[in-house]
Amino acid sequence: MLHLILEGLFLAVALPLFSAPAYGQMDSYLGIGAGVFNVMDSNSGVYGLIDYRPPFGIYGIGTWITLSATEDQAGYFSAGILKDFYLSKSFVLTPSFGIGIYNRAEEELVLGHPVEFRSALKLSYELEDKSRIGVRFGHVSNADLGETNPGSEFLSLIYSIHFNSQ
């Protein structure tokens, strides 16, 4: 079962990347940030993250890859899809959805399964050089793949550097 999920993750991310040049390029970003997980619980903690948005997409839908790690060495590697919606010239709303692999350290947040789904909403301010400063709120859950499904809400502050894709 796990290998089917991992194969699906690979296909969901890899196929758009390989076929994307036929549909045109999108903006690419490299982001770095920090945040708080379990923001709605008493046992919250901090984490750091690195985001990458490749310059590929189809019909305005792009892809993302994120690596995050907690202060106690738990890690989450995830990938998925996103779409930017410009609310004004400078404010961008970006919903995203994806799947990832969670590896927890001892006595760290237990999410119930190594496969975790992530949904998030990010509000960014785009600077003149197209770099962005944003706040992302989201939820990670195993969608009842495990015996338990506690889930976790997270809040991140992210600075993303724009790479010219032209």
Side-chain angles (χ1 to χ4, degrees):
M1 176 70 171
L2 179 60
H3 74 282
L4 292 175
I5 293 170
L6 294 176
E7 288 172 11
L9 171 64
F10 174 77
L11 290 175
V13 173
L15 287 179
L17 293 178
F18 292 126
S19 62
Y23 298 103
Q25 292 189 327
M26 298 179 66
D27 289 335
S28 178
Y29 292 90
L30 179 63
I32 187 165
V36 178
F37 64 88
N38 266 358
V39 294
M40 298 185 168
D41 295 332
S42 61
N43 63 338
S44 61
V46 298
Y47 69 94
L49 65 94
I50 297 173
D51 272 347
Y52 179 61
R53 289 178 57 169
F56 312 115
I58 181 171
Y59 302 113
I61 298 173
T63 56
W64 56 267
I65 300 167
T66 298
L67 177 61
S68 57
T70 69
E71 58 192 324
D72 293 327
Q73 301 173 350
Y76 182 55
F77 176 74
S78 56
I81 59 173
L82 56 74
K83 182 162 177 63
D84 286 337
F85 294 94
Y86 279 82
L87 304 177
S88 71
K89 180 182 174 191
S90 299
F91 284 98
V92 185
L93 186 65
T94 308
S96 62
F97 177 77
I99 185 172
I101 301 297
Y102 171 71
N103 180 22
R104 74 176 181 91
E106 292 298 317
E107 298 186 28
E108 181 66 19
L109 175 66
V110 178
L111 293 177
H113 200 274
V115 175
E116 297 287 328
F117 298 90
R118 186 198 97 172
S119 56
L121 196 57
K122 181 179 175 186
L123 180 63
S124 301
Y125 181 80
E126 190 170 276
L127 304 169
E128 285 187 34
D129 65 357
K130 294 191 83 176
S131 62
R132 295 178 179 178
I133 298 171
V135 175
R136 180 166 56 207
F137 178 77
H139 177 76
V140 175
S141 168
N142 69 38
D144 290 326
L145 292 175
E147 290 182 25
T148 62
N149 184 20
S152 176
E153 285 72 37
F154 60 89
L155 184 64
S156 313
L157 178 63
I158 304 166
Y159 176 71
S160 300
I161 300 167
H162 177 259
F163 293 106
N164 190 354
S165 56
Q166 301 298 330

Coordinates of all heavy atoms in Angstrom, one line a residue, residues 73-139:
Q73 N 14.6 17.4 15.4 CA 15.1 16.6 14.3 C 14.0 15.8 13.7 O 14.3 14.8 13.0 CB 16.3 15.8 14.7 CG 17.4 16.6 15.2 CD 18.5 15.8 15.7 OE1 18.4 14.6 15.9 NE2 19.7 16.4 16.0
A74 N 12.7 16.1 13.8 CA 11.7 15.4 13.0 C 11.7 16.1 11.6 O 12.0 17.3 11.5 CB 10.3 15.6 13.6
G75 N 11.5 15.4 10.6 CA 11.5 16.0 9.2 C 10.3 15.6 8.4 O 9.6 14.6 8.6
Y76 N 10.0 16.5 7.4 CA 8.9 16.3 6.5 C 9.3 16.7 5.2 O 9.6 17.9 5.0 CB 7.6 17.0 7.0 CG 6.4 16.8 6.2 CD1 5.9 15.6 6.0 CD2 5.7 17.9 5.7 CE1 4.7 15.4 5.2 CE2 4.5 17.8 5.0 CZ 4.0 16.5 4.8 OH 2.9 16.4 4.0
F77 N 9.3 15.8 4.2 CA 9.6 16.1 2.8 C 8.3 16.0 2.0 O 7.7 14.9 2.1 CB 10.7 15.2 2.3 CG 11.0 15.4 0.8 CD1 11.7 16.5 0.4 CD2 10.5 14.5 -0.1 CE1 12.0 16.7 -1.0 CE2 10.7 14.7 -1.5 CZ 11.5 15.8 -1.9
S78 N 7.9 17.1 1.4 CA 6.6 17.0 0.7 C 6.7 17.8 -0.7 O 7.6 18.6 -0.9 CB 5.5 17.7 1.6 OG 5.9 19.0 1.9
A79 N 5.7 17.5 -1.5 CA 5.6 18.1 -2.8 C 4.2 18.1 -3.2 O 3.3 17.3 -2.8 CB 6.4 17.3 -3.8
G80 N 3.8 19.0 -4.1 CA 2.5 19.1 -4.6 C 2.2 20.2 -5.6 O 3.2 20.6 -6.3
I81 N 1.0 20.7 -5.6 CA 0.6 21.7 -6.6 C 0.1 23.0 -5.9 O -0.3 22.9 -4.7 CB -0.5 21.2 -7.5 CG1 -1.7 20.7 -6.7 CG2 0.0 20.0 -8.4 CD1 -2.9 20.3 -7.6
L82 N 0.2 24.1 -6.6 CA -0.3 25.4 -6.1 C -0.7 26.3 -7.2 O -0.5 26.0 -8.4 CB 0.9 26.0 -5.3 CG 2.2 26.3 -6.0 CD1 2.1 27.4 -7.0 CD2 3.3 26.5 -5.0
K83 N -1.4 27.3 -6.8 CA -1.8 28.3 -7.8 C -1.8 29.7 -7.1 O -2.3 29.9 -6.0 CB -3.2 28.0 -8.3 CG -3.7 29.1 -9.4 CD -4.8 28.5 -10.2 CE -5.3 29.5 -11.2 NZ -4.3 29.9 -12.2
D84 N -1.2 30.7 -7.8 CA -1.2 32.1 -7.3 C -2.5 32.8 -7.8 O -2.8 32.7 -9.0 CB 0.0 32.8 -7.9 CG 1.3 32.4 -7.2 OD1 1.2 31.9 -6.1 OD2 2.4 32.6 -7.8
F85 N -3.1 33.6 -6.9 CA -4.2 34.5 -7.2 C -3.8 35.9 -6.7 O -3.6 36.1 -5.5 CB -5.4 34.0 -6.5 CG -6.0 32.7 -6.9 CD1 -5.7 31.6 -6.3 CD2 -6.8 32.6 -8.0 CE1 -6.1 30.3 -6.7 CE2 -7.3 31.4 -8.5 CZ -7.0 30.3 -7.8
Y86 N -3.6 36.8 -7.7 CA -3.2 38.2 -7.3 C -4.5 38.9 -6.8 O -5.4 39.1 -7.6 CB -2.6 38.9 -8.5 CG -1.2 38.5 -8.7 CD1 -0.8 37.4 -9.3 CD2 -0.2 39.3 -8.2 CE1 0.6 37.0 -9.5 CE2 1.2 39.0 -8.3 CZ 1.5 37.9 -8.9 OH 2.9 37.5 -9.1
L87 N -4.4 39.3 -5.5 CA -5.5 40.1 -5.0 C -5.4 41.5 -5.3 O -6.4 42.3 -5.3 CB -5.6 39.9 -3.4 CG -5.6 38.4 -3.0 CD1 -5.6 38.4 -1.4 CD2 -6.9 37.8 -3.5
S88 N -4.2 42.0 -5.6 CA -3.8 43.3 -6.0 C -2.5 43.2 -6.7 O -2.0 42.1 -6.9 CB -3.8 44.3 -4.8 OG -2.6 44.0 -4.0
K89 N -1.9 44.4 -7.0 CA -0.6 44.4 -7.7 C 0.4 43.7 -6.8 O 1.3 43.0 -7.4 CB -0.2 45.8 -8.0 CG 1.1 45.9 -8.7 CD 1.5 47.4 -8.9 CE 2.9 47.4 -9.5 NZ 3.5 48.8 -9.5
S90 N 0.3 43.8 -5.5 CA 1.4 43.3 -4.6 C 1.0 42.1 -3.7 O 1.9 41.4 -3.2 CB 1.9 44.4 -3.7 OG 2.5 45.4 -4.5
F91 N -0.3 41.9 -3.5 CA -0.7 40.8 -2.6 C -1.1 39.6 -3.4 O -1.9 39.7 -4.3 CB -1.9 41.3 -1.7 CG -1.4 42.2 -0.6 CD1 -1.5 43.5 -0.7 CD2 -0.8 41.6 0.6 CE1 -1.0 44.4 0.3 CE2 -0.4 42.4 1.6 CZ -0.5 43.8 1.5
V92 N -0.6 38.4 -3.0 CA -0.8 37.2 -3.7 C -1.3 36.1 -2.7 O -0.7 35.9 -1.6 CB 0.5 36.7 -4.3 CG1 0.3 35.4 -5.2 CG2 1.2 37.7 -5.1
L93 N -2.4 35.5 -3.0 CA -2.9 34.4 -2.2 C -2.6 33.1 -3.0 O -3.0 33.0 -4.2 CB -4.5 34.6 -2.1 CG -5.2 33.6 -1.1 CD1 -4.7 33.8 0.3 CD2 -6.7 33.8 -1.2
T94 N -2.0 32.1 -2.3 CA -1.6 30.9 -2.9 C -2.1 29.7 -2.1 O -1.5 29.3 -1.1 CB 0.0 30.9 -3.0 OG1 0.4 32.0 -3.6 CG2 0.4 29.7 -3.8
P95 N -3.1 29.0 -2.6 CA -3.5 27.8 -2.0 C -2.6 26.7 -2.5 O -2.2 26.7 -3.7 CB -5.0 27.6 -2.4 CG -5.1 28.4 -3.6 CD -4.1 29.5 -3.6
S96 N -2.4 25.6 -1.7 CA -1.5 24.5 -2.2 C -2.0 23.2 -1.5 O -2.6 23.2 -0.5 CB -0.1 24.8 -1.8 OG 0.1 24.9 -0.4
F97 N -1.7 22.1 -2.2 CA -2.0 20.8 -1.7 C -0.9 19.9 -2.1 O -0.4 20.0 -3.2 CB -3.4 20.3 -2.2 CG -3.7 18.9 -1.8 CD1 -4.2 18.7 -0.5 CD2 -3.5 17.8 -2.6 CE1 -4.4 17.4 0.0 CE2 -3.8 16.5 -2.2 CZ -4.2 16.3 -0.9
G98 N -0.6 18.9 -1.2 CA 0.4 17.9 -1.6 C 0.5 16.8 -0.6 O -0.4 16.6 0.3
I99 N 1.5 15.9 -0.8 CA 1.7 14.7 0.0 C 3.2 14.6 0.3 O 4.0 15.1 -0.4 CB 1.2 13.5 -0.8 CG1 1.3 12.2 0.0 CG2 1.9 13.3 -2.1 CD1 0.6 11.0 -0.6
G100 N 3.5 14.0 1.4 CA 4.9 13.9 1.8 C 5.1 12.8 2.8 O 4.2 12.0 3.2
I101 N 6.4 12.6 3.1 CA 6.9 11.6 4.0 C 7.4 12.3 5.3 O 8.2 13.2 5.2 CB 8.1 10.8 3.3 CG1 7.6 10.2 2.0 CG2 8.6 9.8 4.3 CD1 6.6 9.1 2.2
Y102 N 6.9 11.8 6.4 CA 7.2 12.3 7.7 C 8.1 11.3 8.5 O 7.8 10.1 8.5 CB 5.8 12.5 8.4 CG 6.0 12.9 9.9 CD1 6.4 14.1 10.3 CD2 5.6 12.0 10.9 CE1 6.5 14.5 11.6 CE2 5.7 12.3 12.2 CZ 6.1 13.6 12.6 OH 6.2 13.9 13.9
N103 N 9.1 11.8 9.0 CA 10.0 11.0 9.8 C 10.2 11.7 11.2 O 10.7 12.9 11.2 CB 11.4 10.9 9.1 CG 12.4 10.1 9.9 OD1 12.0 9.3 10.7 ND2 13.7 10.3 9.7
R104 N 9.7 11.1 12.2 CA 9.7 11.8 13.5 C 10.9 11.4 14.4 O 11.4 10.2 14.3 CB 8.4 11.5 14.3 CG 8.3 10.2 14.9 CD 7.0 10.1 15.7 NE 6.8 8.8 16.2 CZ 7.3 8.5 17.5 NH1 7.9 9.4 18.2 NH2 7.1 7.3 17.9
A105 N 11.3 12.3 15.2 CA 12.4 12.0 16.2 C 11.7 11.5 17.4 O 10.4 11.6 17.6 CB 13.1 13.3 16.5
E106 N 12.4 10.9 18.3 CA 11.8 10.4 19.6 C 11.1 11.5 20.3 O 11.6 12.6 20.4 CB 12.9 9.7 20.4 CG 13.5 8.5 19.8 CD 12.4 7.4 19.7 OE1 11.6 7.1 20.6 OE2 12.5 6.7 18.6
E107 N 10.0 11.1 20.9 CA 9.2 12.0 21.8 C 8.9 13.3 21.0 O 8.8 14.4 21.6 CB 10.0 12.3 23.1 CG 10.2 11.1 23.9 CD 10.7 11.4 25.3 OE1 10.5 12.5 25.8 OE2 11.4 10.5 25.8
E108 N 8.7 13.3 19.8 CA 8.3 14.4 19.0 C 6.8 14.2 18.6 O 6.2 13.2 18.8 CB 9.2 14.5 17.7 CG 9.0 15.6 16.8 CD 9.3 17.0 17.4 OE1 10.0 17.0 18.4 OE2 8.8 18.0 16.9
L109 N 6.3 15.2 17.9 CA 4.9 15.1 17.4 C 4.6 13.8 16.7 O 5.3 13.5 15.7 CB 4.6 16.3 16.5 CG 3.3 16.4 15.8 CD1 2.2 16.6 16.9 CD2 3.2 17.5 14.8
V110 N 3.7 13.1 17.1 CA 3.3 11.8 16.4 C 2.1 12.0 15.5 O 1.1 12.4 16.0 CB 3.0 10.7 17.5 CG1 2.6 9.4 16.8 CG2 4.2 10.5 18.4
L111 N 2.3 11.8 14.2 CA 1.2 12.1 13.3 C 0.5 10.8 12.8 O -0.4 10.9 12.1 CB 1.8 12.8 12.1 CG 2.2 14.2 12.3 CD1 2.8 14.9 11.1 CD2 1.1 15.1 12.9
G112 N 0.9 9.6 13.3 CA 0.2 8.4 13.1 C 0.5 7.6 11.9 O 0.1 6.5 11.7
H113 N 1.3 8.2 10.9 CA 1.7 7.4 9.7 C 2.8 8.2 9.0 O 2.8 9.4 9.1 CB 0.4 7.3 8.8 CG 0.6 6.3 7.8 ND1 1.2 6.5 6.6 CD2 0.2 5.0 7.8 CE1 1.2 5.4 5.9 NE2 0.6 4.4 6.6
P114 N 3.7 7.5 8.3 CA 4.8 8.2 7.6 C 4.3 9.0 6.4 O 4.9 10.0 6.0 CB 5.7 7.2 7.2 CG 5.0 5.9 7.3 CD 3.9 6.1 8.3
V115 N 3.1 8.7 5.8 CA 2.6 9.4 4.7 C 1.6 10.4 5.2 O 0.6 10.1 5.9 CB 1.9 8.5 3.7 CG1 1.2 9.3 2.6 CG2 2.9 7.5 3.1
E116 N 1.9 11.7 4.9 CA 1.0 12.8 5.4 C 0.7 13.7 4.3 O 1.5 14.0 3.4 CB 1.8 13.6 6.5 CG 2.1 12.8 7.7 CD 0.9 12.5 8.6 OE1 0.0 13.3 8.7 OE2 0.9 11.4 9.3
F117 N -0.6 14.2 4.3 CA -1.1 15.1 3.3 C -1.0 16.5 3.8 O -1.2 16.7 5.0 CB -2.5 14.8 2.9 CG -2.6 13.4 2.2 CD1 -2.9 12.3 3.0 CD2 -2.4 13.3 0.9 CE1 -2.9 11.0 2.4 CE2 -2.5 12.0 0.3 CZ -2.8 10.9 1.1
R118 N -0.7 17.5 3.0 CA -0.6 18.9 3.4 C -1.5 19.8 2.6 O -1.4 19.8 1.4 CB 0.8 19.4 3.3 CG 1.0 20.8 4.0 CD 2.3 21.4 3.5 NE 2.0 22.3 2.4 CZ 2.8 23.1 1.8 NH1 4.1 23.2 2.2 NH2 2.4 23.9 0.9
S119 N -2.3 20.6 3.2 CA -3.1 21.7 2.6 C -2.7 23.0 3.3 O -2.5 23.0 4.5 CB -4.6 21.4 2.6 OG -5.0 21.2 3.9
A120 N -2.6 24.0 2.5 CA -2.1 25.3 3.1 C -2.6 26.5 2.2 O -3.0 26.3 1.1 CB -0.6 25.3 3.2
L121 N -2.6 27.6 2.9 CA -3.0 28.9 2.3 C -1.9 29.9 2.6 O -1.6 30.0 3.8 CB -4.4 29.3 2.7 CG -5.1 30.4 2.0 CD1 -5.3 30.0 0.5 CD2 -6.4 30.7 2.6
K122 N -1.3 30.6 1.6 CA -0.3 31.5 1.9 C -0.7 32.9 1.4 O -1.2 33.0 0.3 CB 1.0 31.1 1.2 CG 2.2 32.0 1.4 CD 3.4 31.4 0.7 CE 4.6 32.3 0.8 NZ 5.7 31.8 -0.1
L123 N -0.5 33.9 2.2 CA -0.7 35.3 1.8 C 0.7 36.0 1.7 O 1.4 36.0 2.7 CB -1.6 36.0 2.7 CG -1.9 37.5 2.4 CD1 -2.6 37.6 1.0 CD2 -2.7 38.1 3.5
S124 N 1.0 36.5 0.5 CA 2.4 37.1 0.4 C 2.3 38.5 -0.1 O 1.3 38.9 -0.8 CB 3.2 36.3 -0.7 OG 3.3 35.0 -0.4
Y125 N 3.3 39.3 0.2 CA 3.5 40.6 -0.3 C 4.6 40.5 -1.3 O 5.7 40.1 -0.9 CB 3.8 41.6 0.8 CG 3.9 43.0 0.2 CD1 2.8 43.8 -0.1 CD2 5.2 43.5 0.0 CE1 3.0 45.1 -0.6 CE2 5.4 44.8 -0.5 CZ 4.2 45.6 -0.8 OH 4.4 46.8 -1.3
E126 N 4.4 40.9 -2.6 CA 5.4 40.8 -3.6 C 6.1 42.1 -3.7 O 5.5 43.2 -3.9 CB 4.8 40.4 -4.9 CG 5.8 40.1 -6.0 CD 5.2 39.5 -7.2 OE1 5.0 38.2 -7.2 OE2 4.8 40.2 -8.1
L127 N 7.4 42.1 -3.5 CA 8.3 43.3 -3.6 C 8.6 43.6 -5.1 O 8.2 42.9 -6.0 CB 9.6 43.1 -2.9 CG 9.4 42.6 -1.4 CD1 10.7 42.2 -0.8 CD2 8.8 43.8 -0.6
E128 N 9.2 44.8 -5.3 CA 9.4 45.3 -6.7 C 10.3 44.3 -7.5 O 10.1 44.1 -8.7 CB 10.1 46.6 -6.7 CG 9.1 47.7 -6.4 CD 9.7 49.1 -6.5 OE1 10.6 49.3 -7.4 OE2 9.3 50.0 -5.8
D129 N 11.2 43.6 -6.8 CA 12.1 42.6 -7.5 C 11.4 41.2 -7.7 O 12.1 40.3 -8.1 CB 13.4 42.5 -6.8 CG 13.3 41.9 -5.4 OD1 12.2 41.6 -4.9 OD2 14.4 41.7 -4.8
K130 N 10.1 41.2 -7.3 CA 9.3 40.0 -7.4 C 9.6 38.9 -6.3 O 9.0 37.9 -6.3 CB 9.3 39.3 -8.8 CG 8.7 40.2 -9.9 CD 8.5 39.4 -11.1 CE 7.2 38.7 -11.0 NZ 6.9 38.0 -12.3
S131 N 10.5 39.2 -5.4 CA 10.7 38.4 -4.2 C 9.4 38.6 -3.3 O 8.7 39.6 -3.5 CB 12.0 38.7 -3.4 OG 11.9 40.0 -2.9
R132 N 9.2 37.6 -2.4 CA 8.0 37.7 -1.6 C 8.2 37.4 -0.2 O 9.1 36.7 0.2 CB 7.0 36.6 -2.1 CG 6.5 36.8 -3.5 CD 5.5 35.7 -3.9 NE 5.0 35.9 -5.3 CZ 4.2 35.1 -5.9 NH1 3.8 34.0 -5.3 NH2 3.8 35.3 -7.1
I133 N 7.4 38.1 0.7 CA 7.4 37.8 2.1 C 6.0 37.4 2.4 O 5.0 38.0 2.0 CB 7.7 39.1 2.9 CG1 9.1 39.6 2.6 CG2 7.5 38.8 4.4 CD1 9.4 40.9 3.2
G134 N 5.9 36.2 3.0 CA 4.5 35.6 3.1 C 4.3 34.9 4.4 O 5.3 34.5 5.1
V135 N 3.0 34.7 4.8 CA 2.6 34.0 5.9 C 1.8 32.8 5.4 O 0.8 33.0 4.6 CB 1.8 34.8 6.9 CG1 1.2 34.0 8.0 CG2 2.6 36.0 7.4
R136 N 2.1 31.6 5.8 CA 1.4 30.4 5.4 C 0.8 29.7 6.6 O 1.4 29.4 7.6 CB 2.3 29.4 4.6 CG 1.6 28.2 4.2 CD 2.4 27.4 3.1 NE 3.8 27.1 3.6 CZ 4.8 26.9 2.8 NH1 4.7 27.0 1.5 NH2 6.0 26.5 3.3
F137 N -0.5 29.4 6.5 CA -1.2 28.6 7.5 C -1.7 27.3 6.8 O -2.2 27.3 5.7 CB -2.4 29.3 8.0 CG -3.2 28.5 9.0 CD1 -2.7 28.4 10.3 CD2 -4.4 27.9 8.7 CE1 -3.4 27.6 11.3 CE2 -5.1 27.2 9.6 CZ -4.6 27.0 10.9
G138 N -1.5 26.2 7.5 CA -1.9 24.9 6.9 C -2.2 23.8 7.9 O -2.1 24.0 9.1
H139 N -2.5 22.6 7.3 CA -2.8 21.5 8.1 C -2.1 20.3 7.5 O -2.1 20.1 6.2 CB -4.3 21.3 8.1 CG -4.8 20.0 8.8 ND1 -4.8 19.9 10.1 CD2 -5.2 18.8 8.3 CE1 -5.3 18.7 10.5 NE2 -5.5 18.0 9.4

